[in-house]
Amino acid sequence: PISSFAKADQGVYQCIITSPLFPGMVLKSAPTTLLGVATISGTLLVNGTTPATEGAVQLLKITEGGYDSIPNTPLSVQGDGTFTLQNILLDKYLLVGLADTLTYDQALPTDVPGTAYWEEADTIDVVDNMPGLDITTVFKPDDQLTGEGLLFGVEQEDEFT
């Protein structure tokens, strides 16, 4: 087993064997790709201390064109709100908590560090196992907005309408 393997060590390797007893003889193995994996675990919470007994988490791998879901379907949390994602490639991700909206009315998809806005989500750079990665669910506000406000922008019409 390899005792220490970092994200930067991932790649294609080939074993090359030479011996001074046989000058000019070179043995080469087939190229082998080595990738590091880690485990991400934590708890989906509905407030600072109460676990979500129903819900899921979704890991999104950051790619040049956007995101890929890892796994393709969200992983359900255990009855105590805990989750474990195993064999996750060392890479950069977003982690989204999805408290069940039938059980937790007004729950929103919540990114780490506890935001409903993906633009504010923290990128998780998985370089080793990550235990204790908790997600506290954000809920829709109960209060209706009142008062006056301003909306800024540019109106643009489609050429074909």
Side-chain angles (χ1 to χ4, degrees), residues 10-92:
Q10 298 180 115
V12 178
Y13 288 85
Q14 185 176 36
C15 183
I16 300 174
I17 303 169
T18 60
S19 172
L21 299 175
F22 301 100
M25 185 172 137
V26 178
L27 300 174
K28 294 182 179 181
S29 70
T32 301
T33 301
L34 295 180
L35 300 172
V37 296
T39 298
I40 299 172
S41 61
T43 305
L44 179 61
L45 302 163
V46 291
N47 62 39
T49 58
T50 306
T53 57
E54 298 287 333
V57 293
Q58 180 73 66
L59 192 63
L60 303 170
K61 181 178 178 190
I62 298 173
T63 64
E64 287 186 30
Y67 304 97
D68 282 338
S69 299
I70 310 293
N72 291 332
T73 56
L75 174 73
S76 295
V77 297
Q78 301 298 313
D80 61 356
T82 59
F83 62 89
T84 302
L85 297 159
Q86 296 179 322
N87 297 320
I88 302 302
L89 291 177
L90 303 182
D91 214 328
K92 294 183 184 215

